[in-house]
Amino acid sequence: MSISDFRADLGDIPVEDHPRIVQQRSRDHYWYSPILKAKLDHVTAEIVVSPRSNAEVKTVLAAAFRHGIAITPRGAGTGNYGQAMPLSGGAMLNLMNMDKVLEIKPDRVRAQAGAVLEQMDHQTREAVNGELRFHPSTYRMASIGGFIAGGSGGVGSVRWGGLRNIGSILGVKVITCEENPRELDLVGEDILKVAHAYGTNGIIVEAEMPLTQAHDWVDMIVGFDDFIEACRFGGAVALQDGLLVKEVAPCAAPIPQDYFNRHKPYIRDGQSVVLLMVAPVAVDAMTLFVAHHKGEMLYRSDEASAEELKRLPPVYELAWNHTTLRALKVDPTITYLQTRYPTVAHVEKIISILGDELPMHIEVGRQDGVVMYGGLPLVRYTTEERLEQIIRIHEENGCHVFNPHRYTLEEGGMKRTDQKQLDFKREADPKGMLNPGKMIAWDDPDFDFNAGRVWLFDGLNPVNAA
């Protein structure tokens, strides 16, 4: 195994080997977790390779196969679990040079893996007045390939569910890591072989995504004196088919006061808030709905001055894991969890046990037609042992935890061994060169993460998943 021999086979494909730059490109937002920070701080690749075309990706993967060089694919590096960190060194495969929107139709868009989501929406709005159904809070930076490989949902999931729901991704082109790499076009159920697989079993180079009608979304912040009332309001909004919304996120006090620095002047002490993105056509109806639920309209972007709009971040950059980022900027001891609460009563139960040790942040979404309460609560971190206790408290009270302090597929977001993804890795990456160390079932054939799991959905059928 020789990185110099591997590099010699790449021709004029751009390669970066400056240690500081390579280390920077070997990072994602793993440091949100003090546990991952301790485990992964030393991780770095040896070089960064930046192909510009599918043909160049094939050249890289053929050379990796030939010389036994580990390949870790990377988009914008906005993930949070070490998905894009090279545990085995080798080469980072930077796909951000492949950033073109390839085709726009009235109901869909096809783009290269490195296309940034915000830029895709700019082009689809201009062409067909369309936009992506949902996106992460890192919308301005994240790439479509990285979102599919490492994400699960985001802003828009209150209406459209998650990435692994059937119809959320229309197709992907994947390149295999073999002696003679192949381009495979996956559609339908086959998409699930590589969606949220961290690039462990094929390199996503293109994706085709459905569009929905674009709107000039109005940001709203609604205040409540009681957080559980804020949660009930958020759930009620998600049930209103006539209220066209893209984001519903209740955040408990003192999150808004302590961490939403630029929006502080709009929020009273002790208030919990619900962050909303509302279509213009639904603004008047939402205003009535807020009054009906005795909420206080604290901020509306359609009533803000030009100076305010320039100064204030969009609401989606207060939500999802941007909430954690804003907290970390104020208090670096903060970390977070990813949870799912079946009902508001479950949220209330956890708060009654953990109180201010777990400042609560909920993302209201829909999954298979059912309103769900996804948690991204902050954690006032003390020790790893206490964090494990907090996880057990959730599980003992019927709440699911998707552990963001683990970097493997099975221990984190997937919460299971995905047999189809494992089988596809055997076919597409027979030497195990792609993102090694992230799929336990590949390294340990006897590993079984399925026994005794709760039921979730993978977009087609219920699976024994968490």
Side-chain angles (χ1 to χ4, degrees):
M1 181 176 69
S2 167
I3 200 76
S4 58
D5 291 342
F6 165 74
R7 183 171 181 172
D9 285 355
L10 301 183
D12 67 348
I13 299 173
V15 174
E16 175 61 65
D17 60 5
H18 189 286
R20 184 173 296 176
I21 296 174
V22 173
Q23 185 181 52
Q24 181 184 33
R25 294 291 180 88
S26 299
R27 299 283 188 262
D28 61 14
H29 287 71
Y30 72 104
W31 46 268
Y32 279 28
S33 163
I35 296 166
L36 292 185
K37 181 171 173 55
K39 290 180 178 179
L40 302 180
D41 245 358
H42 68 285
V43 168
T44 186
E46 296 171 78
I47 60 174
V48 177
V49 184
S50 301
R52 296 156 294 194
S53 66
N54 292 354
E56 290 189 347
V57 172
K58 286 183 176 180
T59 297
V60 173
L61 296 182
F65 184 88
R66 187 159 50 249
H67 297 290
I69 300 298
I71 297 290
T72 303
R74 185 184 194 273
T78 61
N80 304 115
Y81 328 120
Q83 304 107 306
M85 296 185 66
L87 301 182
S88 299
M92 294 298 301
L93 186 69
N94 168 37
L95 294 163
M96 295 305 285
N97 283 346
M98 298 172 59
D99 62 355
K100 295 181 179 62
V101 173
L102 302 172
E103 185 179 28
I104 298 173
K105 295 181 179 180
D107 61 351
R108 65 192 67 200
V109 58
R110 189 173 188 89
Q112 291 181 303
V116 173
L117 303 178
E118 184 184 47
Q119 296 304 313
M120 290 175 67
D121 271 358
H122 283 168
Q123 294 187 45
T124 56
R125 281 172 178 255
E126 184 176 335
V128 295
N129 193 36
E131 65 182 24
L132 296 167
R133 289 179 176 179
F134 47 80
H135 58 75
S137 63
T138 51
Y139 174 62
R140 299 199 230 196
M141 298 172 55
S143 67
I144 187 62
F147 187 35
I148 291 171
S152 56
V155 179
S157 287
V158 69
R159 180 154 297 269
W160 294 106
L163 270 173
R164 284 178 61 85
N165 287 112
I166 190 165
S168 291
I169 306 168
L170 301 179
V172 291
K173 184 183 289 291
V174 175
I175 296 180
T176 64
C177 188
E178 303 174 271
E179 182 177 5
N180 296 299
R182 295 169 290 154
E183 292 186 22
L184 303 178
D185 289 297
L186 305 182
V187 297
E189 189 171 359
D190 285 343
I191 293 167
L192 298 180
K193 294 176 180 177
V194 296
H196 202 80
Y198 297 0
T200 57
N201 58 6
I203 303 300
I204 298 171
V205 291
E206 295 176 17
E208 186 169 316
M209 305 295 288
L211 297 175
T212 187
Q213 182 182 351
H215 295 280
D216 295 323
W217 297 97
V218 175
D219 288 349
M220 293 182 177
I221 301 178
V222 179
F224 290 87
D225 291 331
D226 179 78
F227 178 65
I228 296 303
E229 288 304 313
C231 289
R232 292 194 181 106
F233 168 78
V237 168
L239 286 169
Q240 296 301 309
D241 293 329
L243 290 177
L244 182 53
V245 295
K246 192 169 185 175
E247 173 66 9
V248 181
C251 295
I255 290 174
Q257 294 81 4
D258 289 352
Y259 310 127
F260 295 170
N261 290 336
R262 296 188 185 179
H263 288 86
K264 279 183 183 179
Y266 305 92
I267 302 165
R268 289 190 288 104
D269 287 345
Q271 275 189 314
S272 297
V273 302
V274 179
L275 308 172
L276 299 169
M277 290 173 64
V278 183
V281 71
V283 164
D284 289 344
M286 180 63 78
T287 302
L288 288 172
F289 201 68
V290 168
H292 177 75
H293 282 265
K294 297 180 172 55
E296 180 182 355
M297 187 68 72
L298 303 174
Y299 170 78
R300 283 174 48 166
S301 62
D302 62 337
E303 296 180 343
S305 67
E307 189 278 329
E308 285 177 301
L309 293 175
K310 184 177 180 180
R311 177 175 56 87
L312 297 170
V315 150
Y316 65 76
E317 288 187 353
L318 303 178
W320 292 87
N321 239 352
H322 256 76
T323 305
T324 311
L325 177 61
R326 293 183 184 281
L328 280 164
K329 287 181 177 180
V330 176
D331 180 357
T333 67
I334 288 283
T335 189
Y336 75 112
L337 283 176
Q338 293 183 154
T339 56
R340 182 173 295 174
Y341 304 104
T343 67
V344 173
H346 288 81
V347 177
E348 192 168 17
K349 177 66 173 179
I350 294 298
I351 291 173
S352 73
I353 298 171
L354 296 171
D356 190 57
E357 186 179 8
L358 196 82
M360 188 59 73
H361 163 206
I362 296 293
E363 291 290 339
V364 181
R366 291 196 200 190
Q367 189 77 17
D368 300 304
V370 177
V371 172
M372 52 160 280
Y373 300 89
L376 283 162
L378 304 180
V379 178
R380 301 195 189 280
Y381 182 78
T382 52
T383 66
E384 184 173 355
E385 290 74 21
R386 178 56 181 165
L387 184 63
E388 291 297 326
Q389 288 176 353
I390 292 171
I391 291 172
R392 286 198 298 275
I393 287 168
H394 275 78
E395 294 172 342
E396 289 166 359
N397 285 277
C399 306
H400 312 143
V401 177
F402 308 91
N403 195 339
H405 305 279
R406 301 289 186 269
Y407 55 75
T408 63
L409 284 164
E410 293 91 343
E411 294 174 293
M414 292 295 287
K415 298 295 288 186
R416 64 187 170 100
T417 297
D418 189 313
Q419 191 63 43
K420 290 182 180 179
Q421 290 188 349
L422 176 60
D423 291 344
F424 188 66
K425 184 172 177 68
R426 294 186 178 118
E427 172 190 342
D429 180 28
K431 282 189 176 180
M433 293 292 98
L434 298 181
N435 209 355
K438 305 293 175 58
M439 184 185 284
I440 299 176
W442 174 266
D443 299 313
D444 180 3
D446 296 325
F447 179 82
D448 182 6
F449 209 79
N450 291 310
R453 302 290 160 192
V454 302
W455 291 92
L456 296 176
F457 290 81
D458 74 350
L460 288 171
N461 300 295
V463 292
N464 198 349

